[in-house]
Structures are given as C-alpha cells and as structure tokens.
Amino acid sequence: MRFLTDRKRAAGLGSAGDGVHHWWQQRVTAVALVPLALLFLFPFARALGSGHEAVLAAYGKPFNAIVAIAFFAAAFAHLRLGLQEVIVDYVSSHGMRAALLVVNTLACWLLGLAGIFAVVLIAL
Amino acid sequence: MADVNRGNRPLSPFMLGKYYRFQISSLTSILHRITGVAMGGAALLVVWWFLAAATGPAAFARADWVLTSWLGHLVLIGALWALFYHLLNGIRHLVWDAGHGFDLETAARTGKGALIGSAVLTLLTVIIVAMG
C-alpha cells in the first residue's frame, strides 16, 4: 500500500469501495439470463402439472438440468444485486439497511443453492 | 474537511405521482423494479416445486397442486408477464448502456414496445403451453 498515493488508492472505487463491480455483475448476469430464462421457461411450463414421473424424466435430461442449474445460478445472483439496489434506495436507517442487505445476500444464496441441489438430486 | 451538515441534507422526494408528471419513461422504470422484486417472490414457489419433486411423490403432489391451482396459475401467469416485461425492458437498458436509443422519441417507442410486447409474448406462451 505504501507504494500507492492516497488518491491512487481511492480512484475509481466510489463510496461503496468496489467501483463498478456491482454494475458489471448486474449486466453480465442480465446478458446470461436472456437465453437462460427462455430456455428454462418452456420445459418448466410443460412439466408443471404433468405428474411426478414426467418431471423426473424432463429434468433427468442433461440439457434441461444444466439449463435449470445455470438459470438458478444467474437468476439468484441477479436477484441479489437487484434487491440490494432496491434496499439501499428505499431503506435509509443504517441498522435496518445493513440487516436487510445481509438477509438479502444469505436468502438469495440459500434459495439459489437449494434450487440447484434439487435439480441435481432429480437429475442423478 | 469535517462534514458539518452530515445527515441534514435535503433528500430527493419519491418522484412518481405528486412531484412528477406521468410519462412512459417513469412508468417503465418503476415497473422494471416491481417486476424484478415480484419475480423474487415467484422464485420461492419455483424452488419449492423443484425441492418437492426431488423429495418424493407426496411432497411433489402438494407443491404441484398449489402451483397449478386457480390462484397458482394466476400468480405464475403474472410472473410470466413480469419475466417478459423485465426481459424486454432489460434489453432496452442494455442498449442504453451501450449508448443508443436515448432520444425521447426512441425511448418512448421502445418503452411502449416493452409494454405491448410483454403482453403479446405472455399470451402467446400461455397459448403454446396450454396446447401442449
């Protein structure tokens, strides 16, 4: 650190300290979700109400399973970033904001991992 | 150096309604947020349905009954519209990020396109899925 000036250390990092990282993550996951959401949608809509055996067969196919896993990963990462933006915009109390941000991160990770785990269990 | 006015600055008001004339850009903007948050709720149902399918036939029957009930259909079709709207408006945002389509006429036209397009795509999808 002592080789950097204070200005150089802060430049481009903004008040949150991580610069455009959030912005880029939001865009990269958004681009990924354009095809993934559409590919996830139709097998899922067809599987709804089609019976347990049919659902196990549908997600036993590697393509459907991989799409569902990639969709859950990208969607919950994107959701976490989006909800984070909503929280910092509307919640002004510092304690409440910090608590909600932590809950948001943990809940999105938990749900995303749960969804992925479920698809893996079905596919294997 | 010390910020003597910290915590006592004027805050920007919530702009819709009272302070801001209604226009398509404000509508499409707030709808993007609402549909995003709403899909977070729908995602809970979807994950529950997958977990139930992984658990066994009895758990699956329960979750599948809820999602395909009258209310479940209503929620999922609402989420489907939210998905298409967020998708189309999201592409609109990505095009803006690349520096295109900012002039008022184009922005209004693409906004209308996202609103109408999402309704059309929702209807088409419901028809396609309903027909098998």
Side-chain angles (χ1 to χ4, degrees), chain B residues 45-97:
Chain B
L45 288 176
V46 174
V47 167
W48 175 51
W49 184 87
F50 272 94
L51 278 173
T55 305
F60 176 76
R62 207 160 39 238
D64 201 55
W65 181 86
V66 171
L67 265 69
T68 57
S69 68
W70 183 86
L71 189 64
H73 268 118
L74 200 69
V75 169
L76 288 180
I77 290 171
L80 182 65
W81 172 74
L83 176 73
F84 279 131
Y85 176 78
H86 204 88
L87 186 73
L88 291 180
N89 202 51
I91 292 170
R92 188 165 165 248
H93 270 278
L94 289 173
V95 173
W96 284 336
D97 290 339

Side-chain angles (χ1 to χ4, degrees), chain A residues 23 27 30-31 33-35 37-38 40-42 44-53 55-56 59 68 71-72 76 78-79 82-83 85-86 89-90 92 94 111-112 114-115 117-119 121-122, chain B residues 6 11 14 30 32-33 36-37 39-41 43-58 60-61 64 67-68 76 80 83-84 86-87 90-91 93-94 97 124-125 128-129 132:
Chain A
W23 191 91
R27 267 66 192 176
V31 169
L33 281 167
V34 173
L38 294 171
F40 172 81
L41 182 62
F42 287 93
F44 173 68
R46 285 210 186 87
L48 269 175
S50 69
H52 193 226
E53 291 299 318
V55 171
L56 295 188
Y59 287 95
F71 173 73
F72 281 143
F76 280 103
H78 192 80
L79 180 66
L83 288 178
E85 224 175 296
V86 172
D89 274 2
Y90 299 137
S92 49
H94 277 253
L111 279 170
F117 181 64
V119 177
L121 277 182
I122 294 169
Chain B
R6 191 168 182 84
L11 295 170
F14 187 69
I30 195 63
H32 198 73
R33 278 215 160 157
V37 174
M39 278 191 288
L44 274 172
L45 288 176
V46 174
V47 167
W48 175 51
W49 184 87
F50 272 94
L51 278 173
T55 305
F60 176 76
D64 201 55
L67 265 69
T68 57
L76 288 180
L80 182 65
L83 176 73
F84 279 131
H86 204 88
L87 186 73
I91 292 170
H93 270 278
L94 289 173
D97 290 339
L124 276 176
T125 306
I128 290 170
V129 172

Side-chain angles (χ1 to χ4, degrees), chain A residues 58-108:
Chain A
Y59 287 95
K61 291 182 188 148
F63 184 80
N64 286 347
I66 291 166
V67 163
I69 288 167
F71 173 73
F72 281 143
F76 280 103
H78 192 80
L79 180 66
R80 186 184 77 76
L81 297 165
L83 288 178
Q84 181 186 335
E85 224 175 296
V86 172
I87 291 165
V88 298
D89 274 2
Y90 299 137
V91 181
S92 49
S93 143
H94 277 253
M96 181 61 101
R97 177 187 290 194
L100 283 175
L101 288 175
V102 172
V103 168
N104 175 44
T105 299
L106 297 181
C108 287

Side-chain angles (χ1 to χ4, degrees), chain B residues 107-124:
Chain B
R109 205 167 54 237
T110 53
K112 274 184 204 139
L115 288 167
I116 296 168
S118 59
V120 171
L121 288 173
T122 304
L123 197 65
L124 276 176

